[in-house]
Amino acid sequence: MLPAVRLISEAAELAARRHNGMARKGRGNEPYINHLAEVANLLARATDGGDAELVAAGWLHDAIEDTETTREELAQRFSDRVAFLVVECTDDMSLPKAERRRRQVVDAPKKSADAKLIKIADKISNIEARIRPNPSSEERADLIEYTDWAEQVVAGCRGGNPYLDEKFDDAVQRARASL
Ligand code: ZN
């Protein structure tokens, strides 16, 4: 396996290239890579830097879903574990959005312990990006809807890492206070 620093650095570089030009939802259409950096950093903090593959998977967690990246490629360049974690975080994009969201709630408890951590970090990052100073009615509706759904997904993921559980509860509280 690659040494930890290379694993993470190469994951960040691949993520930057593959998501190049994409914007995230919320907060002024920031580059998508900001979302990946937030998720990777939450995971690094949550594990106190002890799990390089998990942080690499954080950088890459949307790569199969949103870009031309395959599980085989990730397994070859990184490791089977990194590839498997990303697959666990990949929605079936051939399904309509409502069904994808429903499945995330149903499937969350069946994920591996590490995939659950990535999912919580993902929801923290996405809620925080949707908290705006003076939200329009559309932004308010989106924040309410996203936060309610994220709570259902995270209910099936929590319990494995107190830091992430607390950060998530914090984000939910700030989201509701901002409305
Ligand atoms: Zn994500």
Side-chain angles (χ1 to χ4, degrees):
M1 212 223 307
L2 291 171
V5 173
R6 279 198 59 196
L7 191 78
I8 293 169
S9 156
E10 293 198 11
E13 194 205 22
L14 183 66
R17 288 188 190 283
R18 294 288 158 90
H19 292 273
N20 186 35
M22 296 181 185
R24 75 188 300 187
K25 212 171 145 75
R27 211 160 53 201
N29 289 333
E30 280 181 319
Y32 202 81
I33 192 77
N34 290 20
H35 165 61
L36 304 172
E38 284 170 15
V39 170
N41 195 40
L42 280 163
L43 294 166
R45 288 187 183 201
T47 54
D48 199 19
D51 191 343
E53 288 181 307
L54 180 67
V55 176
W59 277 109
L60 295 164
H61 76 276
D62 286 324
I64 295 178
E65 189 171 300
D66 295 341
T67 80
E68 302 282 288
T69 304
T70 63
R71 182 185 65 76
E72 294 74 21
E73 183 185 10
L74 296 180
Q76 201 167 43
R77 293 179 72 140
F78 300 98
S79 69
D80 284 338
R81 181 171 167 234
V82 170
F84 181 67
L85 285 171
V86 175
V87 167
E88 279 197 282
C89 296
T90 301
D91 284 353
D92 180 351
M93 296 304 276
S94 68
L95 298 170
K97 186 176 167 190
E99 176 61 13
R100 292 201 308 269
R101 286 201 163 183
R102 192 191 70 78
R103 287 203 182 183
Q104 279 208 33
V105 175
V106 174
D107 292 343
K110 306 172 203 159
K111 301 283 177 193
S112 71
D114 292 328
K116 286 177 180 173
L117 302 187
I118 300 173
K119 295 203 75 83
I120 299 172
D122 185 49
K123 299 296 180 274
I124 295 168
S125 168
N126 286 337
I127 289 173
E128 285 182 342
R130 284 171 167 78
I131 300 175
R132 310 299 301 266
N134 295 299
S136 66
S137 61
E138 201 182 309
E139 286 167 342
R140 287 169 59 95
D142 179 56
L143 179 59
I144 291 168
E145 189 208 23
Y146 190 89
T147 304
D148 289 351
W149 170 68
E151 272 194 310
Q152 294 178 55
V153 176
V154 169
C157 295
R158 59 192 306 148
N161 186 286
Y163 174 84
L164 289 176
D165 289 354
E166 199 183 308
K167 277 272 175 193
F168 178 78
D169 293 340
D170 244 41
V172 169
Q173 205 169 39
R174 274 185 298 110
R176 301 232 159 96
S178 78
L179 293 166

